[in-house]
Amino acid sequence: MLITFEALFPVPALPQLLRRLSHANRRIFLVGGVLRDALLEKHSHDLDFVVTQDVHTIARAVADTLGAALYRMDEEHETYRVLGYTSSGQSFTLDFSRMRGLSIEQDLRARDFTINALAIDVSQPEILIDPLKGALDIREKHLRVCANTAFLDDPLRVLRGVRLANALKFRLLPETLTLLQQAVPRLEQVSAERKRDELFRILEGPDVKTAFQLMDHLGILPFILPELTKLKGVSQPQPHVFDVWQHTLSTLDYLERLFGLLVAEYEEDKAASLTMGTATLYLGRFRDAFMSHFSARLNPNRSLKALLFFTAAYHDSGKPAAAGLHPNGRLHFIGHERISSEYFQTRARALALSNDEIAYGDKVIRHHMRIHHLVNAQQSPTRRAIYRFFRDVGAAGVDICLLSLADTLATYHTTLPQDMWARELLICQQFLEAWWHQQENIIQPPPLLRGDDLMAYLGLKPGPMIGKLLEAIREAQASGDIENREEALHLARTLIANWNDSALDGGRNEP
């Protein structure tokens, strides 16, 4: 086979280390996805190993030698994960688990799909162990289960089948498809954490729109994202060209296009259309900043990109509940952002996302209309508006810009007015310019006064008024209305003399 064994490993020292740790009574096998990817001429930094015994000993030795972290994933099945970084800073994952059955062939036959039922003994790397002809299925682009009981043994494989078929563009064979559909209701038996992890792998992968269409076609959505099933057939007034479900799918599609255009190395063919070329013209300058932003993680096991796509799937989920009619008979969805956010939070908690992820997604969904409002009013954002936006949403404002753009593209589709598109791009450009290049001037200006100063100079007592005055001063400073300590004190005196709680809400009650 045309695989260079050493090239499969993220760290050059790893193959030799594994050979030293392997012997006649303790064999180590490289298995699964990395071999599949190698046959597809793809590279992976996530490797799985099967060990006949002493799994923890081997995982610990590897982690210590590579200076990597070691985590116990499943005590009952002796599964351990090693997380480390290459010399270039690329992360890698090494999973070690105890062999199931009495032989590696038995272990492979108990796996999900034949394309993953491949192994190499690290002591005999020249031999590919392929008892179910997975290499042939890879060549013919077929997705076939290893056994008729595969989905019953682990219903999560239903979602994994969707992910693999979509990401690899493989065909689910008829008998496999039948078995998969029969097992869909058994997803209810799968833990929230496992469903979450597989879903986020789908969200992280390519062609998310098609994956959602496939999950819908196979009847999977009611068992994993039930709120989305209510979006079908919910019509929307002009300028929308799709119902809410098709709009949601289109939003995912356009978001992926924008992500590939702006949050990756530049490829000229991705900017071939006028619409995407204009997006590059306005926002291409932020490519490195975008890449840095999305390299951050709120959870070490899930990417910010996948979380953004999850919020995109739910950004209009509240529209069916918010639907109403104006006196003129026009359909509206007033307040759908709040309901959509509530649905998102409910589903995110059910899938055991972290509090940080839930709070972040809530900001994206709850505020995703703010840029649209500016565009529709044909207004350029003032410094005050930019300050208030990022005060309310923080770093999530970057995600909101991308979602807002994808939302607009999905709303108009082929009817998009180019002048409106340019206006929205310009507004996003101004927001992002402020966030990444004008932090001290607009987003987080250095404080001119502290609470103690206000109490000392103005004779005030501790209380809510102090916080409101400091926020008003900070906002005026960010807006360019005041520049020094004396002007800040003068503003505070003026505000006290004309005290009005509603005037000091800092725009927090604005839409």
Side-chain angles (χ1 to χ4, degrees), residues 55-76:
V55 184
H56 179 260
T57 299
I58 290 174
R60 170 53 66 191
V62 170
D64 290 347
T65 302
L66 301 182
L70 176 65
Y71 300 91
R72 183 174 62 192
M73 303 296 290
D74 187 334
E75 184 174 9
E76 180 183 356

Side-chain angles (χ1 to χ4, degrees), residues 268-312:
E268 187 174 353
D269 62 330
K270 292 181 179 178
S273 71
L274 175 62
T275 299
M276 290 301 167
T278 307
T280 303
L281 179 66
Y282 279 92
L283 304 181
R285 71 183 73 173
F286 302 121
R287 188 178 311 279
D288 290 342
F290 272 127
M291 293 174 70
S292 177
H293 172 82
F294 283 102
S295 69
R297 289 177 179 254
L298 297 175
N299 182 285
N301 297 315
R302 294 184 289 280
S303 71
L304 204 55
K305 173 194 173 185
L307 180 61
L308 172 58
F309 276 77
F310 188 24
T311 63

Side-chain angles (χ1 to χ4, degrees), residues 72-87:
R72 183 174 62 192
M73 303 296 290
D74 187 334
E75 184 174 9
E76 180 183 356
H77 296 96
E78 291 187 65
T79 302
Y80 297 88
R81 174 164 293 175
V82 175
L83 294 176
Y85 294 88
T86 66
S87 58

Side-chain angles (χ1 to χ4, degrees), residues 8 41-42 48 65 77 106 110 197 236 253 262 300 312 314 331 345 372 393 406 414 442 449 464 476:
L8 299 176
E41 299 183 359
K42 298 179 180 180
D48 294 316
T65 302
H77 296 96
Q106 219 174 337
D197 292 347
Q236 302 189 90
D253 183 36
L262 300 171
Y314 270 77
L331 182 66
Q345 292 181 66
H372 295 329
V393 303
T414 57
I442 300 178
L449 293 172

Side-chain angles (χ1 to χ4, degrees), residues 98-135:
R98 175 167 46 84
M99 189 172 72
R100 294 169 292 183
L102 301 176
S103 67
I104 187 60
E105 289 80 8
Q106 219 174 337
D107 182 286
L108 295 176
R109 290 179 185 277
R111 291 180 176 268
D112 50 13
F113 301 97
T114 59
I115 62 171
N116 293 329
L118 306 170
I120 289 178
D121 188 330
V122 299
S123 299
Q124 297 177 293
E126 69 283 358
I127 300 173
L128 177 65
I129 304 169
D130 181 14
L132 298 173
K133 299 183 179 179

Side-chain angles (χ1 to χ4, degrees), residues 5-161:
F5 182 66
E6 281 71 16
L8 299 176
F9 294 85
V11 179
L14 188 54
Q16 294 180 359
L17 171 61
L18 293 172
R19 287 193 190 100
R20 289 198 303 269
L21 293 169
S22 178
H23 52 68
N25 295 323
R26 188 175 68 191
R27 298 169 68 189
I28 304 173
F29 299 91
L30 178 63
V31 300
V34 66
L35 300 177
R36 176 200 69 221
D37 289 346
L39 290 171
L40 291 168
E41 299 183 359
K42 298 179 180 180
H43 194 67
S44 174
H45 279 108
D46 298 330
L47 280 66
D48 294 316
F49 297 91
V50 164
V51 183
T52 55
Q53 61 178 339
D54 301 331
V55 184
H56 179 260
T57 299
I58 290 174
R60 170 53 66 191
V62 170
D64 290 347
T65 302
L66 301 182
L70 176 65
Y71 300 91
R72 183 174 62 192
M73 303 296 290
D74 187 334
E75 184 174 9
E76 180 183 356
H77 296 96
E78 291 187 65
T79 302
Y80 297 88
R81 174 164 293 175
V82 175
L83 294 176
Y85 294 88
T86 66
S87 58
S88 63
Q90 171 75 44
S91 64
F92 64 82
T93 301
L94 311 174
D95 284 351
F96 294 85
S97 59
R98 175 167 46 84
M99 189 172 72
R100 294 169 292 183
L102 301 176
S103 67
I104 187 60
E105 289 80 8
Q106 219 174 337
D107 182 286
L108 295 176
R109 290 179 185 277
R111 291 180 176 268
D112 50 13
F113 301 97
T114 59
I115 62 171
N116 293 329
L118 306 170
I120 289 178
D121 188 330
V122 299
S123 299
Q124 297 177 293
E126 69 283 358
I127 300 173
L128 177 65
I129 304 169
D130 181 14
L132 298 173
K133 299 183 179 179
L136 178 62
D137 282 334
I138 290 172
R139 187 168 71 232
E140 296 183 348
K141 299 186 180 299
H142 288 165
L143 195 59
R144 184 197 314 269
V145 283
C146 293
N148 289 342
T149 60
F151 295 117
L152 300 179
D153 295 338
D154 184 0
L156 184 68
R157 291 168 175 171
V158 167
L159 278 178
R160 195 172 302 150

